[in-house]
Amino acid sequence: MKRRDFLKWTALSSAGLALPCGLAALGRMAHAARGPDLVVVRGTSTPQIVRAALDALGG
Amino acid sequence: MKRFVAAGDVVVLKPNIGWDRAPQYAATTNPDVVGALAKLCYEAGAKKVRILDNPVNDARRCYRQSGIADAAATAGAEMVYMDGRKYRDVRLDGKALKSWPLYGEIFEADKVINVPVAKTHGLSGLTLGMKNWMGIMGGARFRVHQRLDESLVDLVRVIRPALTVLDAVRILTANGPTGGDLSDVKRLDTVVAGTDQVAVDSFGATLFGMKGSDIGSVRLAANAGLGVMDLSKLQIKKIGV
């Protein structure tokens, strides 16, 4: 394998290996941006816990 | 609330007001939870907030005794006395129910928010969010108790609330769904909220020391792909205020 081909092969392989991790990270970021799936709020003021639950779900 | 309610929306809140019981018995949704939600809907720009249930006991007594009529009045929401002419046969094509008369306003509203109370139930083990949909059924609804879990899943296929807020301010730990003995009531001062009604119910089961999989309707709904039962797969945020 020529040096130029070797460098191309290495670059493409590295990108390919990195892609699943990159996609997973993107997925995690998207999930975090969407907010939690469930919110559980505890407190003695009922109106406040309802408001806090809605705020935590993204307003 | 602006994530769920847009300016000009007509919003239906569906609490559990099934019984002629005062709030401290935890047989009905806590009025402060319902009132706070109605207020937040209006703050988000809702045009109208309507609150309804088809109680087992007399609706006027239930609405008043539960404290929800007063909470609605304070928030500017309207209590709806369900009108027999407004049910319509909805095709369900489910495993237990092929069609059933359901209250039309649930489908005509821009947004629906389910607001159940967490309590035990003699037949289903617990009554949480999915079971609360029995309150929009017309006809001989108690017939569905013969195949209750399957019937609830059939309802969940067509009733997709924007949000579920499970009231666990007080939970009824025994002798539900009617209750009547304060020694069965446990104060948790908690609400559980989410868009996945299966997930909310699955978490709700843990408030009683159970798992979601212990509840037939939760298990069947998850198997049908209607939501997530496995809490380890969910991002759950716990907050103290």
Side-chain angles (χ1 to χ4, degrees):
Chain A
M1 185 181 289
K2 290 182 181 170
R3 183 171 176 271
R4 181 176 294 170
D5 293 337
F6 174 76
L7 289 174
K8 265 188 198 169
W9 180 84
T10 307
L12 287 171
S13 302
S14 303
L17 284 171
L19 194 57
C21 298
L23 285 176
L26 281 174
R28 281 195 299 275
M29 283 165 62
H31 196 259
R34 200 177 64 225
D37 299 303
L38 282 184
V39 176
V40 182
V41 188
R42 185 164 192 175
T44 51
S45 164
T46 301
Q48 272 185 26
I49 62 175
V50 173
R51 185 176 286 273
L54 269 295
D55 286 347
L57 282 172
Chain B
M1 185 61 95
K2 284 186 177 171
R3 177 183 162 195
F4 303 104
V5 173
D9 276 355
V10 173
V11 182
V12 165
L13 303 184
K14 169 60 182 78
N16 185 330
I17 330 178
W19 307 96
D20 182 7
R21 290 265 188 242
Q24 60 267 30
Y25 289 96
T28 50
T29 303
N30 188 291
D32 293 337
V33 172
V34 181
L37 281 171
K39 190 173 174 214
L40 288 170
C41 289
Y42 280 123
E43 283 177 14
K47 182 169 76 181
K48 191 81 191 165
V49 178
R50 297 163 71 79
I51 300 170
L52 55 83
D53 195 11
N54 182 8
V56 177
N57 298 142
D58 175 72
R60 279 167 179 76
R61 290 185 63 87
C62 292
Y63 282 13
R64 190 172 57 245
Q65 183 81 338
S66 65
I68 291 175
D70 282 345
T74 302
E78 179 189 353
M79 295 302 297
V80 176
Y81 291 99
M82 290 165 86
D83 178 343
R85 295 166 298 182
K86 290 190 177 175
Y87 288 92
R88 65 183 201 214
D89 278 322
V90 175
R91 191 171 164 180
L92 301 168
D93 287 332
K95 290 194 173 166
L97 305 176
K98 298 305 167 200
S99 70
W100 201 271
L102 303 178
Y103 205 64
E105 287 195 24
I106 287 286
F107 301 98
E108 290 152 13
D110 296 303
K111 302 287 163 48
V112 175
I113 300 178
N114 194 13
V115 201
V117 60
K119 57 180 180 170
T120 56
H121 190 280
L123 282 176
S124 58
L126 296 177
T127 167
L128 302 161
M130 288 190 274
K131 177 78 173 62
N132 198 34
W133 294 128
M134 278 193 71
I136 64 151
M137 297 179 84
R141 60 180 168 159
F142 295 106
R143 261 181 34 213
V144 308
H145 279 147
Q146 292 161 11
R147 291 184 70 187
L148 182 56
D149 295 331
E150 291 91 340
S151 301
L152 296 180
V153 173
D154 291 344
L155 291 177
V156 166
R157 283 181 209 281
V158 299
I159 307 167
R160 310 299 288 175
L163 177 68
T164 300
V165 179
L166 176 65
D167 162 30
V169 173
R170 298 181 185 91
I171 64 171
L172 182 58
T173 62
N175 299 310
T178 321
D181 186 342
L182 288 175
S183 67
D184 294 331
V185 176
K186 186 175 174 186
R187 185 144 195 150
L188 296 184
D189 287 321
T190 297
V191 293
V192 181
T195 56
D196 178 338
Q197 46 190 336
V198 181
V200 171
D201 280 12
S202 186
F203 189 91
T206 68
L207 302 174
F208 296 83
M210 301 167 78
K211 292 180 291 187
S213 57
D214 295 331
I215 308 301
S217 57
V218 174
R219 202 170 53 242
L220 291 176
N223 288 342
L226 297 171
V228 178
M229 175 177 70
D230 183 351
L231 299 180
S232 71
K233 292 184 176 161
L234 296 169
Q235 190 188 340
I236 302 173
K237 186 171 186 177
K238 295 185 178 177
I239 302 168
V241 294

